[in-house]
Amino acid sequence: MPASPGGRRLIGAVLLLLALLAPVRAAPADAAGAVRIGVLAFLGAEAASGEWSPVLRRLQAALPGRPVSLVQLDHGGLHDAAAAGDIDFLITNPGHYVELEAELGASRILTLDPGPPRAPERAIGSTVIVKAGNGALRTLADLRGRRIAVVSTDVFGGFQTIWRELAAQGIDPQRDFAELKIVGLPMTGVFDAVARGEADAGFVRGCLLESRDAWRTAFTVLGARNEPDYPCATSTRLYPDWPLATLRHTPPALAKEVAVALLAMSTARDGMEWAVPADYQSVHEMFRELQTGPYAYLREPTLMALAERYWRWIAAFALLLAAWILYTVRVEHLVHARTAELRAALAAREALEARIRANQEQADHLARLSVLGELSGTLAHELNQPLATIANYAQSLIRRSDNGRLTDAAVREASGEIAGQAERAGGILGRIRGFARKRATVRERVAPGALAADAVALFRGMLANAPEVAVDDTLPADAVVEVDPLQIQQVLLNLLKNGYDAARGLPRERQRLAVRIDEGKGDNAGHACIAVRDHGSGLDAAARERLFEPFFTTKPDGLGLGLSICRTIAEAHLGRLTVDGADGGPGCEFVLSLPLGAPASASPESPTDHAAHR
Ligand code: ADP
């Protein structure tokens, strides 16, 4: 700022007093003719009034009859007064002006002219000072991590302009300094702080260093730039000088009068000179770069800004996502392929199982026919007996009729016998037909005792002189197994027939068979066990080894398939078929175990029901 001559300072002080006494909310200029100029008092109100008193004098001279006053305000006060319409003009630093221009429509009409060699648009620079001889600090980049003294972070020359240069070095004053020491006004305090070693460097406005010889020698400038036509050392680019601006409500005619009056000032006469408004684009650029002032909104995170800032993370995330998607797609593909393979394998397995089932049913059927075949020799004899009895009774009836001795009682008795014998023969044939029938596997809930009773009835019905078969059922009445009754009957019939074969030709006493039905223990716990015991030849170790092998037989007419099929049937029912040596005696015991099912809510079927089913 141009220095005012000493005499004028006194007048300035008087005018300031007048200005301070004037009410802040004076009537608008148009109404009362008063003209109010707001001034940024960055050095304090007194200094400001002294500094700007030439303006006041000049305007008072140019606008006779109109009271002109200067109002010294700080940043916030000037903003509020402009917003409220309490002032008609304002004079402030370039940074603050650009903010008010953007927010309140302040419009510069003049720029202070510092006089040669400085041009109005290249008038303000800032200086970073360090103690002379401080070898550790050579460039602005060396300021990182240091203690810095500043007047305030609001000042244009002395902070904001230096901030721009630091930002170009990647330094953020709020983050990258060890300490940002705010010393407050006056700015000479910055020199003092650096001189006392309280700060490693200080920020001051341009040309302040050169104003005292002692400072010139005690301090050096960091990052000094070569700026032509600038008479002082500067660490920053140069910016235009302070503007005088109108506000939206300022009457244009008044603005014109003021501009004309101030343009007529000269340094020689008034100690101050004004020029036509300078270009403040460089200040805009500074704020835009720093994303502060009117460009603070640029700091708000936009998608682009976020993308630019976090692109590495975003790229890494995108890569991960892509990898994950690839992995998922691949896994999905593999799962599909594997599922298709499994389905195909399952279908093949089901087809195979169906074939095995069909073969098994066929084998079962053949085995049943085989058992029947083996028993059929005696079957003919067995059927012969009722048929002979029937024939006898029929002939006896004929004879009595011929003799005239046919009484009602005799007819009734003979007919009863004939019917009884025919029924017996029919029963035998019915059971055999049912047993020999070819049919698909089923599952029914049946009492084990009922199965055994059916098998014993079939066995005894097919043999003349069938041995005695004692059945001992100790299972609870509601115990059931879920089985194919015909297949289980086939197993039991096989066991009974094998027992009968083993005792053939032995004394009658040895031919008797026993069936014991009880709940299994140990390995057979939870199973119903049906044990068929004989007192025949028994098993030697070799026979016991190979007993369940297909085609193992010791009988001249045997097929050797019976026990192997019986075991397959037991296992298909999740049961087992085992053999035990007879306890302390001849013969042996075959045990068929079948898993016990939960008792049915309805009562289990009776043996007779089964016979009826068949
Ligand atoms: P098959 O009766 O046609 O010989 P099985 O598979 O039913 O076929 O029996 C195989 C063999 O096991 C019989 O030939 C016999 O030697 C032996 N066997 C089966 N049951 C008994 C038994 N209760 N006592 C002695 N040997 C038996």
Side-chain angles (χ1 to χ4, degrees):
M1 294 299 118
S4 304
R8 285 177 184 152
R9 289 212 178 269
L10 187 62
I11 305 167
V14 174
L15 289 174
L16 164 72
L17 207 59
L18 288 173
L20 287 176
L21 289 174
V24 172
R25 279 197 170 271
D30 288 346
V35 179
R36 297 172 59 79
I37 303 171
V39 179
L40 178 67
F42 78 98
L43 288 177
E46 200 170 333
S49 64
E51 201 156 10
W52 299 107
S53 56
V55 170
L56 191 60
R57 272 198 308 280
R58 178 72 200 163
L59 288 181
Q60 278 170 340
L63 305 169
R66 301 183 73 168
V68 181
S69 59
L70 279 178
V71 188
Q72 286 80 34
L73 298 160
D74 62 10
H75 275 89
L78 195 56
H79 169 277
D80 294 347
D86 292 342
I87 52 176
D88 308 300
F89 298 90
L90 58 84
I91 299 173
T92 186
N93 74 37
H96 194 217
Y97 160 68
V98 165
E99 285 182 50
L100 296 179
E101 181 187 54
E103 194 185 336
L104 301 175
S107 174
R108 64 194 179 275
I109 55 172
L110 298 169
T111 295
L112 205 59
D113 187 348
R118 287 192 279 174
E121 55 278 337
R122 291 168 49 80
I124 297 181
S126 300
T127 319
V128 179
I129 53 148
V130 295
K131 235 196 257 185
N134 183 346
L137 300 178
R138 293 177 193 284
T139 64
L140 292 184
D142 296 334
L143 292 176
R144 190 186 292 277
R146 304 292 177 162
R147 296 164 303 146
I148 310 295
V150 297
V151 165
S152 126
T153 52
D154 283 338
V155 292
F156 180 71
F159 185 74
Q160 289 174 333
T161 49
I162 296 177
W163 179 4
R164 183 185 191 186
E165 308 305 334
L166 290 172
Q169 306 282 333
I171 298 175
D172 179 346
Q174 307 290 353
R175 195 188 60 203
D176 297 330
F177 291 151
E179 185 191 353
L180 192 60
K181 189 177 173 64
I182 310 290
V183 299
L185 287 167
M187 213 172 246
T188 55
V190 174
F191 289 94
D192 296 340
V194 177
R196 283 199 297 268
E198 291 165 14
D200 301 312
F203 296 173
V204 292
R205 67 185 153 81
C207 294
L208 194 59
L209 172 71
E210 289 80 0
S211 67
R212 282 194 206 171
D213 287 341
W215 286 345
R216 275 178 202 259
T217 50
F219 300 97
T220 52
V221 175
L222 213 60
R225 300 164 65 99
N226 181 22
E227 294 290 348
D229 302 333
Y230 189 69
C232 311
T234 177
S235 307
T236 69
R237 279 162 268 205
L238 299 179
Y239 297 89
D241 213 327
W242 286 37
L244 181 141
T246 58
L247 291 159
R248 283 206 184 98
H249 61 269
T250 310
L254 176 63
K256 187 176 171 185
E257 278 182 275
V258 167
V260 168
L262 295 188
L263 273 175
M265 289 175 78
S266 76
T267 312
R269 191 178 61 240
D270 306 302
M272 175 182 279
E273 202 165 311
W274 292 90
V276 292
D279 181 1
Y280 286 78
Q281 192 57 31
S282 55
V283 184
H284 278 278
E285 279 165 14
M286 182 196 85
F287 278 131
R288 199 179 303 122
E289 269 182 44
L290 296 178
Q291 298 184 338
T292 181
Y295 299 95
Y297 69 90
L298 291 177
R299 282 195 177 231
E300 285 164 20
T302 60
L303 274 183
M304 264 323 279
L306 284 177
E308 266 171 33
R309 187 156 177 194
Y310 296 110
W311 71 267
R312 278 189 191 82
W313 287 102
I314 293 170
F317 178 73
L319 264 178
L320 273 178
L321 193 71
W324 180 76
I325 289 172
L326 269 178
Y327 174 76
T328 311
V329 168
R330 185 165 158 64
V331 167
E332 199 62 9
H333 174 75
L334 286 178
V335 166
H336 271 295
R338 190 89 188 96
T339 309
E341 274 173 27
L342 283 176
R343 277 212 190 98
L346 209 66
R349 188 180 148 174
E350 274 169 8
L352 196 66
E353 278 176 359
R355 270 219 324 271
I356 290 172
R357 235 182 355 259
N359 287 346
Q360 182 67 47
E361 280 165 11
Q362 185 76 6
D364 289 356
H365 184 229
L366 288 177
R368 287 199 295 277
L369 292 183
S370 150
V371 175
L372 287 180
E374 288 170 38
L375 293 172
S376 61
T378 51
L379 174 68
H381 180 81
E382 175 72 354
L383 279 179
N384 221 15
Q385 205 183 350
L387 288 177
T389 312
I390 289 169
N392 273 343
Y393 275 106
Q395 276 160 10
S396 135
L397 285 177
I398 293 168
R399 261 198 320 276
R400 281 176 181 252
S401 166
D402 291 347
N403 298 344
R405 288 192 290 126
L406 193 61
T407 62
D408 278 356
V411 169
R412 179 169 294 280
E413 188 201 337
S415 300
E417 278 300 327
I418 288 170
Q421 292 302 323
E423 204 171 307
R424 182 179 163 201
I428 292 169
L429 287 175
R431 270 197 285 274
I432 289 170
R433 268 185 53 216
F435 186 69
R437 190 172 49 145
K438 194 175 175 189
R439 22 79 83 199
T441 308
V442 295
R443 281 287 180 276
E444 286 172 22
R445 296 167 65 80
V446 199
L451 292 169
D454 271 6
V456 169
L458 186 63
F459 172 70
R460 285 180 61 80
M462 290 175 67
L463 286 177
N465 299 322
E468 194 186 313
V469 184
V471 179
D472 177 19
D473 183 357
T474 59
L475 275 181
D478 60 353
V480 285
V481 286
E482 199 163 323
V483 296
D484 183 330
L486 197 63
Q487 285 186 349
I488 300 304
Q489 210 179 332
Q490 176 178 346
V491 173
L492 297 177
L493 191 65
N494 234 307
L495 299 180
L496 290 167
K497 191 196 137 288
N498 279 349
Y500 168 73
D501 286 345
R504 242 199 266 203
L506 293 176
R508 186 87 186 148
E509 169 59 19
R510 295 274 304 270
Q511 290 186 10
R512 72 197 155 83
L513 297 168
V515 176
R516 199 184 69 249
I517 307 166
D518 55 14
E519 193 168 340
K521 292 176 187 65
D523 282 355
N524 284 331
H527 284 59
C529 290
I530 308 175
V532 178
R533 176 162 190 195
D534 65 73
H535 301 82
S537 56
L539 287 170
D540 58 25
R544 190 190 297 259
E545 278 279 294
R546 305 190 50 203
L547 210 52
F548 294 100
E549 280 177 22
F551 305 113
F552 171 75
T553 181
T554 55
K555 301 171 194 168
D557 55 346
L559 271 180
L561 281 175
L563 286 179
S564 98
I565 288 177
C566 288
R567 179 166 267 187
T568 312
I569 291 175
E571 285 166 0
H573 284 79
L574 306 178
R576 303 197 303 166
L577 179 63
T578 51
V579 63
D580 269 348
D583 272 343
C588 53
E589 185 175 71
F590 284 82
V591 180
L592 169 68
S593 72
L594 296 167
L596 277 167
S601 45
S603 60
E605 291 175 273
S606 70
T608 338
D609 289 338
H610 280 289
H613 283 168
R614 292 193 302 271

